[in-house]
């Protein structure tokens, strides 16, 4: 049985309610490529399931809910999120509704959804309980789509090494959750692996897919994305560090990266985003 990977956390906690975090999330977080949604569409079409209702759990600002309506043409999409701050920045779209709600108590009757998606949010949840709720809400044969991305990589060895030091040594991203030196409330290792060790009990025809996208961006834009990470905000709060101050480890990394870029004559960073999508059908 899948176990909790966020031991001791409260499902009522809004991890994206820090001042300005939801707005930054909407602007700077990576956007899923059309290829990801094409994979979902082909899988769902092959199943022969209808497109009456799609649920997007942990919808955030609607990054997945909108394509489910506009690209996959679901008649109705409901985006559910615990964070009111996130939903306040969600994109409005005809046929898409947003609701504050709990991933373990999805506000819908049994067997009503043709597809249920969750993007970059399943690592916050006790998986056994969540899988039970997914099976409850999906029609038999309905599609379960898990989207996410591992930590982006910088296509410059020296800058990537500096970032890796920040990500691993400062944030404690490979350490046990809740242990000394870890600022994460959830297991980053399992997320960065694309849930490779997780068995999807109660589902069939499991398909695991990785898609890599490359994008050029400014250093400041990439730093703004990194500020949306919950572990970074936790580090600042726990250590009484001012954002952007001289003791801010993320901005210390920024200064090192900027020095390397100036030395090498670089104006932009090339970022590699490793996206994954896991697709499965609800079994009987």
């Amino acid at each position: 049985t899948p176990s909790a990977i966020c031991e001791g956390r409260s499902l009522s906690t809004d991890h994206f309610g820090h001042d300005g975090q939801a707005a930054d999330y909407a602007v700077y977080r990576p956007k899923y490529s059309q290829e990801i949604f094409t994979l979902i569409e082909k899988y769902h079409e092959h199943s022969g399931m209808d497109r009456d209702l799609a649920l997007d759990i942990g919808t955030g600002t609607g990054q997945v809910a909108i394509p489910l309506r506009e690209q996959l043409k679901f008649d109705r999409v409901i985006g559910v999120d615990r964070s009111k701050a996130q939903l306040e920045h969600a994109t409005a779209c005809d046929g898409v509704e947003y609701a504050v709600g709990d991933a373990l108590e999805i506000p819908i009757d049994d067997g009503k959804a043709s597809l249920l998606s969750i993007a970059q949010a399943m690592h916050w949840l006790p998986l056994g309980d969540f899988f039970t709720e997914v099976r409850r809400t999906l029609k038999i044969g309905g599609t379960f789509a898990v989207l996410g991305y591992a930590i982006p990589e910088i296509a410059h060895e020296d800058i990537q090494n500096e970032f890796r030091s920040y990500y691993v040594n400062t944030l404690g991203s490979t350490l046990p959750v809740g242990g000394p030196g870890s600022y994460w409330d959830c297991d980053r290792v399992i997320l960065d692996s694309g849930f490779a060790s997780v068995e999807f009990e109660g589902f069939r025809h499991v398909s695991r897919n990785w898609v890599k996208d490359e994008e050029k961006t400014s250093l400041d834009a990439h730093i703004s994305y990194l500020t949306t990470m919950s572990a970074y905000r936790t580090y600042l709060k726990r250590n009484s560090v001012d954002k952007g101050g001289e003791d801010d480890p993320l901005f210390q990394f920024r200064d090192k990266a900027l020095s390397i870029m100036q030395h090498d004559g670089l104006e932009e960073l090339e970022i590699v985003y490793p996206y994954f999508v896991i697709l499965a059908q609800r079994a009987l």
Side-chain angles (χ1 to χ4, degrees):
T1 301
S3 60
I5 56 179
C6 304
E7 299 294 345
R9 72 171 292 273
S10 170
L11 288 174
S12 64
T13 301
D14 179 357
H15 292 272
F16 296 92
H18 299 285
D19 184 33
Q21 188 177 10
D24 288 345
Y25 190 101
V27 174
Y28 295 112
R29 279 283 170 136
K31 307 297 190 294
Y32 297 99
S33 68
Q34 183 173 343
E35 185 176 355
I36 291 289
F37 294 104
T38 298
L39 287 168
I40 298 172
E41 184 173 24
K42 288 182 177 179
Y43 183 95
H44 189 75
E45 184 176 8
H46 183 73
S47 73
M49 180 59 59
D50 60 61
R51 302 192 190 191
D52 292 344
L53 172 65
L55 298 175
D56 184 39
I57 307 304
T59 196
T61 57
Q63 284 189 0
V64 172
I66 301 300
L68 289 177
R69 170 63 174 158
E70 294 187 339
Q71 183 174 332
L72 273 68
K73 307 299 183 184
F74 274 87
D75 295 337
R76 183 185 179 202
V77 178
I78 302 176
V80 178
D81 204 289
R82 168 66 71 177
S83 175
K84 294 180 180 179
Q86 287 272 42
L87 294 179
E88 287 173 357
H89 291 87
T91 303
C93 178
D94 181 51
V96 177
E97 309 163 32
Y98 296 107
V100 176
D102 195 318
L104 302 185
E105 297 179 358
I106 301 170
I108 191 173
D109 293 336
D110 296 359
K112 293 295 185 181
S114 305
L115 179 146
L116 184 147
S117 62
I118 182 166
Q120 202 68 358
M122 195 167 79
H123 56 295
W124 292 109
L125 303 171
L127 298 186
D129 293 341
F130 178 58
F131 285 179
T132 296
E133 185 68 351
V134 173
R135 290 192 297 268
R136 181 190 71 79
T137 57
L138 276 177
K139 298 177 181 179
I140 294 174
T143 299
F144 180 28
V146 180
L147 298 81
Y149 43 87
I151 190 68
E153 299 177 0
I154 301 169
H156 187 293
E157 184 176 0
D158 292 340
I159 300 176
Q160 173 62 16
N161 287 340
E162 292 289 352
F163 172 70
R164 188 71 184 170
S165 177
Y166 162 77
Y167 183 66
V168 173
N169 300 330
T170 302
L171 297 185
S173 301
T174 60
L175 296 175
V177 177
S182 173
Y183 291 90
W184 292 100
D185 293 315
C186 292
D187 189 341
R188 283 297 305 193
V189 173
I190 199 169
L191 176 63
D192 288 339
S193 74
F195 297 95
S197 63
V198 173
E199 295 185 9
F200 283 68
E201 296 181 10
F203 299 91
R204 64 192 182 197
H205 307 314
V206 178
S207 172
R208 300 173 184 266
N209 310 270
W210 284 91
V211 175
K212 285 193 174 184
D213 272 359
E214 297 182 5
E215 179 181 320
K216 288 187 176 182
T217 188
S218 69
L219 175 60
D220 284 345
H222 191 57
I223 294 297
S224 294
Y225 153 63
L226 295 175
T227 65
T228 68
M229 290 185 171
S230 59
Y232 167 68
R233 304 295 179 119
T234 299
Y235 181 97
L236 297 184
K237 183 177 181 180
R238 193 180 298 176
N239 294 288
S240 301
V241 172
D242 293 330
K243 180 182 177 182
E246 61 180 12
D247 294 326
D248 184 331
L250 178 56
F251 282 78
Q252 290 172 354
F253 158 70
R254 177 194 179 278
D255 291 343
K256 293 175 184 177
L258 180 59
S259 178
I260 295 171
M261 292 176 69
Q262 290 174 338
H263 179 272
D264 291 356
L266 299 176
E267 295 184 357
E268 291 183 309
L269 292 175
E270 185 173 326
I271 310 295
V272 179
Y273 296 98
Y275 296 97
F276 62 83
V277 56
I278 305 167
L279 299 162
Q281 290 180 6
R282 181 199 155 182
L284 297 175

